[in-house]
Amino acid sequence: MSKPELTQDSAIAVFLSVAKCLKKQHYDPASVLPFGAKGIISAISKMNKKRVIQLVEASLRLEGVRKRDAAKIKVDEVCQQLANHYDRSRKFNYIIVGAPNGGIAHLCAILNAPFLPAYFLYSFRDLTDADDTVAYQQHGEKIADIILKNNPHIRIINHYDPVHDRFLIKYVNHIRVKLLAIPQPYQQFIES
């Protein structure tokens, strides 16, 4: 039973950049792309605008987690995977848990401090009219209810942002998972 993949959002980008930095490695955001995707993207970028839009929209129909997989989400397991990115044999004077942004990434690099995100994003496949806010909300509520059954210690934000994500919200429903307390895997990492 494979677990739903986190969406590569700002929280994960900041998290991965800090984790790589603490290992003295460079984080390339394109490294999360499937094998061969860079070449395909390069070829698509040379096409005319209409064709590019058609191809991007076709690929977006395949994006996201299937709704039926919402029940497989276990936030503590996700937090354990994130904590496992850091070397537990190292001692850190600081650990930052919270909201991601570029400033946090720089602060973590300066302090040599691990970063553990307090929220992360899942994008669920969902064909919806981008202007139908009621349908988007109803679909998101159903997904949130399923996730909350297995994860009562979180809050769910049904993330609707037509300004930044209009091209996406026709195809996916963004569900942001926010931690309400320090989860056990983070606590164990901090204590160790």
Side-chain angles (χ1 to χ4, degrees), residues 106-119:
H106 288 287
L107 185 62
C108 288
I110 291 166
L111 296 174
N112 194 37
F115 170 70
L116 298 170
Y119 61 81

Side-chain angles (χ1 to χ4, degrees), residues 77-182:
E77 290 177 10
V78 172
C79 292
Q80 185 65 62
Q81 290 173 355
L82 296 173
N84 287 345
H85 276 267
Y86 297 110
D87 180 359
R88 288 183 185 249
S89 67
R90 286 183 63 188
K91 295 297 178 194
F92 298 101
N93 292 324
Y94 309 98
I95 297 173
I96 297 178
V97 180
N101 61 49
I104 289 293
H106 288 287
L107 185 62
C108 288
I110 291 166
L111 296 174
N112 194 37
F115 170 70
L116 298 170
Y119 61 81
F120 30 85
L121 186 73
Y122 286 97
S123 298
F124 288 86
R125 291 181 195 159
D126 189 23
L127 291 175
T128 309
D129 178 342
D131 296 316
D132 190 348
T133 57
V134 172
Y136 190 93
Q137 178 60 26
Q138 289 171 343
H139 296 182
E141 279 183 37
K142 288 178 186 174
I143 296 167
D145 287 344
I146 294 167
I147 296 169
L148 286 168
K149 282 180 186 172
N150 295 321
N151 304 281
H153 55 291
I154 62 169
R155 174 164 290 146
I156 300 277
I157 306 297
N158 192 17
H159 184 93
Y160 176 79
D161 183 356
V163 173
H164 296 104
D165 297 337
R166 183 171 188 77
F167 67 102
L168 287 171
I169 57 179
K170 295 190 292 188
Y171 305 104
V172 295
N173 192 299
H174 294 303
I175 298 293
R176 190 168 302 281
V177 173
K178 291 194 163 209
L179 304 175
L180 293 176
I182 303 280

